[in-house]
Amino acid sequence: MITLVVKRLLLALPVLWLILTLTFFLLRAAPGGPFDSERSLAPEIEAQVVAKYRLDLPLYLQYGQYLGQVLVGDFGPSYQYPDVSVNQLLASGLPVSLTLGFWALLLALTIGIPLGVWAALHQGQWQDTTAMVVAVGGISVPNYVVGPMLIAWLAVTWRWLPAGGWQGGEWDHLLLPIMTLALPFIAYIARLMRVAVIDVWQQPFIQVALAKGLSIKQVMIRHALRPAFLPVLSYLGPAAVALMTGSVVIEQIFGLPGLGRYFVQGALNRDYTLVMAVVLWVGLLTVIFNLLVDVFSFLLYPKLRTQEETS
Amino acid sequence: MKLPIKLSLLWLLCVLISCVFGPLFSVYDTQTIHWDAMATEPSQVFWWGTDVMGRDLLVRCLEGGRTSLAVAAVATTVSVLLGVAYGIIAGYYGGRVDLLMMRMVDVLYALPFMFLVILLLVFFGHSLWLIFVGIGAYMWLDMARIVRGQTLVLKNQPFIEASQVLGQKTRLIIFYHVLPNLTSVILVYATLTVPQVILIESFLSFLGLGVQEPLTSWGALVSEGAENWQLAPWALWFPALMLSLTLLSFNVLGDGLRDYFDPKHKDI
């Protein structure tokens, strides 16, 4: 187990380095700079600003310096928000995005899994059809359509919930964005779960358990649920990435101060350090999440362990 | 054929025809501002109403659909061409070539590619062509993996081996024997790629990074509609409905095709 974790982390390092390098040179190759504005600065002042941020050095030196900085966890100053370091911006934005993502994923699992199981147990009946129509709908309707719709009905017409804002993480402000973010994941997890349960249900060990006279509920909980959960577990890795990109939109719709805003704004303003930091963080979180998924699947499914060892 | 698939096909056909030909027959165009009819409800004059700028919504939705569908068509083509070529080469030649090529795909997978697409778009301007290419370049990875897997299976089938023994050129084996046997897989995944591409394009347009005025797309229309929905809610509902139903239809159609070609398919 420990060797697995170490191996995966060592494999992650070159990937993260690649992300860093690619983003770095992509950003620098792009036209425009962080200090281009409508009103151009006096040349002397601009030279001073550029020198202050060491943007006058040759590119490879800048790259080397940046790499060294990042290794000790310093993402440098932000070019667009003077007096604030990128670390401070991240410290304010990351918790928002993570809170949103965490609750959305939890909601998706708690609704998606039972929905899928329910549909599978009624395979071919109206319950199944209904659940799957809802699921295809959930995948097809984009979250920037769902978001405004929920605001229009729940927040404005019926005034049940606030339409947006963060307010220090008050739960009623977070309910709508979390629901919106979770919807496609609920749909996808329900579909995965349905197929997996139908599949497992045909296995001999389930038939034996049923023949012994266990109730459907007991068989489901004790025997079927664990093997049927594997596809969902493997999906959680890609889901993490999807959650990050999804939350960019959600943050914009609901006016939440998360990472997404910094990313889009930063990219538009050529705020090199800020964009680099966001991209790196997303990459890092993806790696961590995939690792967690692997660790969990090894704990839950001993069979996978022997496969890994022999391969 | 099941009813949902029939309905999906019907809807897609209607959308395609009306988006391509509709604007030609409309008395309005997308840019004319009707100063006396700003944010008016759907009526006999403006069938789908007007937006807050006083522009006819119906013709804008059709034009937006044209853009969205065009983006989808080009990006899907790019991703199919790239993915199929890459997958066949990796799968057919196998060995070290395969290993190297698929490791590259793995690395690209690990990148938060959506973020890189956004970066590309922001930095290389708002050219519609770059949106096509960027999205296509993002979508081809899945296709490459699937095609490679299928090619690996095909490669060891007797008819391919027979062809090799007869001294057929590799290029011809690929074109005459491998490719035709991949058509169903390619068709299914191309159908499932289309809604994803439309979704990505509209996602970018929603963030203001995609299609720029005077062009419009469904994503851009939904974004405009969402901004002003209290003044003109129909300017949100109509494009949102068109977009969602089209995505739904493509998904239903793709799932249906997959069930048809591969009834034993377990994944969703």
Side-chain angles (χ1 to χ4, degrees), chain A residues 20-40:
Chain A
L20 184 142
T21 312
L22 210 66
T23 329
F24 185 90
F25 288 104
L26 202 64
L27 279 171
R28 299 308 166 101
F35 306 111
D36 295 351
S37 56
E38 301 281 308
R39 234 178 43 189
S40 58

Side-chain angles (χ1 to χ4, degrees), chain B residues 21 39 83 92 97 208-209 262:
Chain B
F21 298 109
Y92 193 82
V97 180
L209 301 172
D262 185 11

Side-chain angles (χ1 to χ4, degrees), chain A residues 56-74:
Chain A
D56 50 347
L57 297 177
L59 206 55
Y60 68 94
L61 272 182
Q62 286 186 39
Y63 173 69
Q65 270 181 352
Y66 186 75
L67 206 60
Q69 267 185 352
V70 169
L71 282 179
V72 294
D74 176 15

